[in-house]
């Protein structure tokens, strides 16, 4: 039976286990240009051979994994596996921590409510695991088999109509503009499509102001900028080292700001996004914060864990040690 089937049957001995001891794996068969659908079956079989009880379901489109995770949590599952890219993990976490399952956040310290998340990174991005290992797929597999996990923070964005949780980063400005353009027009071209989005946005370059203040700041920062990123982990886009000082376990948001650099300066500096030295630029800055308040009267494109949403942002907060990950 293929992974694209809605549910993979399990033996009676497996289903006799309490749900809290079983894993609920959500497969995004479209991740990695369809690579996830081909590789998920053997990867899940390896877990079963190692004695791991896994129930599996495939998502059928954007945001479907949110509904699947919400329903699984309400049924009693507390161990999840994201089979795909960072977007799959993002949807699982938001399904669990959404309004219908708000007790997951309120009871972060309660074993009965706390969730664990494993990764079978078969997608395209998989930025988050790079904070811990250069061999994400194998390291994550071994961690699940060995029941090796650690707590990480989440970032909570409150916007005009709700809340969204991020385990990787949120960004506005140039980075979100590139992501929005790429997702809407060039996504089928893979990494080349992303580069094409970069060059188009350089040609259309906008330096905007996103009024905000952090922690105990009394004044609003209304300076124009190239981009603002609010990071829980170091990497984005697979290999871009946007926030080299970020730590997903320190209870803080790493805030990176890059001021209104011009087109030619940006083109010269773009390669430095891949080694983290961009923060040494005179127009760049970083700080560790726990709370951000926005004063942006309109909805803007926001990149959240590699996905794009158009939102009117209000608050950012850190939720310390919110979830355990297998790594």
């Amino acid at each position: 039976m293929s992974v694209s089937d809605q549910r993979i049957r399990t033996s009676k001995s497996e289903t006799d286990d309490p749900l809290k001891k079983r894993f609920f794996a959500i497969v995004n068969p479209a991740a990695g240009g369809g690579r996830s659908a081909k590789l998920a079956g053997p990867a899940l079989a390896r877990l079963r051979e190692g004695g791991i009880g896994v129930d599996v379901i495939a998502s059928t489109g954007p945001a479907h994994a949110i509904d699947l995770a919400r329903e699984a949590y309400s049924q009693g599952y507390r161990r999840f596996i994201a089979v795909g890219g960072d977007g799959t993990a993002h949807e699982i976490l938001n399904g669990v921590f959404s309004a219908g399952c708000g007790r997951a956040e309120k009871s972060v310290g309660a074993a009965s409510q706390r969730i664990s998340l494993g990764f079978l990174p078969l997608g395209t991005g998989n930025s988050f695991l790079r904070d811990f290992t250069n061999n994400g797929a194998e390291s994550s597999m071994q961690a699940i088999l060995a029941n090796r996990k650690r707590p990480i923070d989440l970032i909570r964005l409150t916007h005009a109509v709700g809340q969204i949780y991020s385990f990787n980063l949120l960004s506005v400005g140039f980075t979100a503009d590139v992501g929005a353009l790429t997702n809407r027009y060039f996504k089928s071209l893979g990494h080349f499509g992303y580069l094409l989005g970069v060059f188009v946005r350089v040609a259309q370059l906008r330096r905007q102001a996103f009024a905000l203040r952090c922690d105990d700041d009394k004044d609003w920062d209304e300076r124009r900028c190239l981009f603002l990123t609010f990071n829980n982990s170091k990497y984005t886009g697979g290999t871009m080292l946007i926030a080299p000082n970020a730590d997903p376990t320190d209870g803080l948001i790493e805030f990176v700001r890059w001021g209104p650099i011009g087109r030619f300066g940006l083109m010269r500096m773009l390669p430095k996004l891949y080694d983290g030295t961009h923060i040494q630029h005179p127009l760049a800055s970083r700080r560790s914060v726990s709370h951000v308040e926005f004063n942006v009267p309109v909805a803007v494109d926001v990149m959240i864990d590699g996905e794009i949403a158009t939102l009117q942002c209000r608050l950012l907060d850190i939720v310390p040690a919110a979830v355990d990950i297998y790594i």
Side-chain angles (χ1 to χ4, degrees):
M1 187 177 294
S2 70
V3 171
S4 61
D5 291 328
Q6 278 296 290
R7 241 183 230 286
I8 292 182
R9 296 181 184 274
T10 58
S11 67
K12 189 174 188 302
S13 63
E14 286 180 334
T15 55
D16 286 343
D17 294 338
L19 290 184
K20 289 179 182 177
K21 294 183 179 180
R22 297 182 61 77
F23 282 87
F24 190 82
I26 299 179
V27 179
N28 176 6
R35 188 163 58 105
S36 179
K38 298 176 182 178
L39 300 179
L44 292 167
R46 183 177 167 191
L47 288 178
R48 288 199 175 99
E49 290 167 0
I52 304 296
V54 188
D55 295 324
V56 184
I57 193 166
S59 61
T60 58
H64 188 207
I66 295 176
D67 295 332
L68 295 175
R70 181 185 296 117
E71 176 63 21
Y73 185 89
S74 68
Q75 290 177 6
Y77 288 94
R78 296 295 181 266
R79 298 180 180 182
F80 294 83
I81 302 176
V83 186
D86 286 339
T88 309
H90 170 81
E91 290 193 5
I92 291 173
L93 289 169
N94 277 276
V96 170
F97 282 85
S98 61
C101 301
R103 60 187 182 277
E105 181 184 339
K106 294 174 184 176
S107 303
V108 159
S112 63
Q113 305 296 342
R114 188 173 182 82
I115 72 159
S116 302
L117 177 64
F119 299 78
L120 292 180
L122 309 179
T124 53
N126 304 310
S127 302
F128 179 74
L129 290 181
R130 286 180 60 87
D131 276 37
F132 304 95
T133 176
N134 289 324
N135 189 12
E138 183 60 28
S139 294
S140 185
M141 174 76 74
Q142 290 298 328
I144 295 171
L145 290 168
N147 195 31
R148 184 179 68 244
K149 54 190 176 181
R150 66 179 73 186
I152 65 156
D153 310 326
L154 292 179
I155 299 174
R156 181 182 59 230
L157 168 65
T158 301
H159 55 90
V161 295
Q163 294 180 331
I164 296 179
Y165 293 83
S166 165
F167 67 99
N168 182 206
L169 91 165
L170 298 96
S171 180
V172 294
F174 180 78
T175 45
D177 292 342
V178 170
L181 182 68
T182 302
N183 284 3
R184 289 165 188 164
Y185 299 106
F186 309 133
K187 193 167 186 177
S188 62
L189 300 177
H191 185 62
F192 175 75
Y194 182 81
L195 292 177
L196 186 58
V198 168
F199 286 112
V200 170
R201 288 306 193 195
V202 168
Q204 301 173 335
L205 194 61
R206 296 185 298 167
R207 275 88 35 152
Q208 302 170 265
F210 303 94
L212 59 82
R213 56 189 178 191
C214 303
D215 293 340
D216 296 327
D217 292 349
K218 304 216 181 291
D219 298 323
W220 294 98
D221 185 347
E222 298 178 332
R223 295 174 295 168
R224 291 194 308 153
C225 65
L226 179 68
F227 67 73
L228 307 175
T229 67
F230 306 91
N231 309 268
N232 192 43
S233 60
K234 294 178 173 64
Y235 289 90
T236 187
T239 57
M240 296 176 70
L241 190 55
I242 288 286
N245 295 307
D247 180 349
T249 67
D250 65 357
L252 295 167
I253 302 167
E254 179 73 3
F255 172 25
V256 176
R257 181 185 192 278
W258 205 351
I261 192 170
R263 288 184 179 85
F264 295 113
L266 175 58
M267 291 299 293
R268 288 195 302 269
M269 292 296 295
L270 277 176
K272 297 184 180 296
L273 291 170
Y274 290 87
D275 63 13
T277 56
H278 63 286
I279 64 170
Q280 299 171 11
H281 191 277
L283 290 176
S285 62
R286 59 147 304 269
R287 60 188 292 198
S288 296
V289 301
S290 59
H291 175 80
V292 181
E293 182 180 359
F294 294 94
N295 186 20
V296 181
V298 298
V300 297
D301 284 333
V302 186
M303 184 170 68
I304 310 172
D305 297 346
E307 304 299 317
I308 300 296
T310 304
L311 304 168
Q312 186 178 348
C313 301
R314 290 182 175 170
L315 301 171
L316 275 184
D317 293 287
I318 195 76
V319 186
V323 63
D324 295 322
I325 65 159
Y326 290 90
I327 192 61

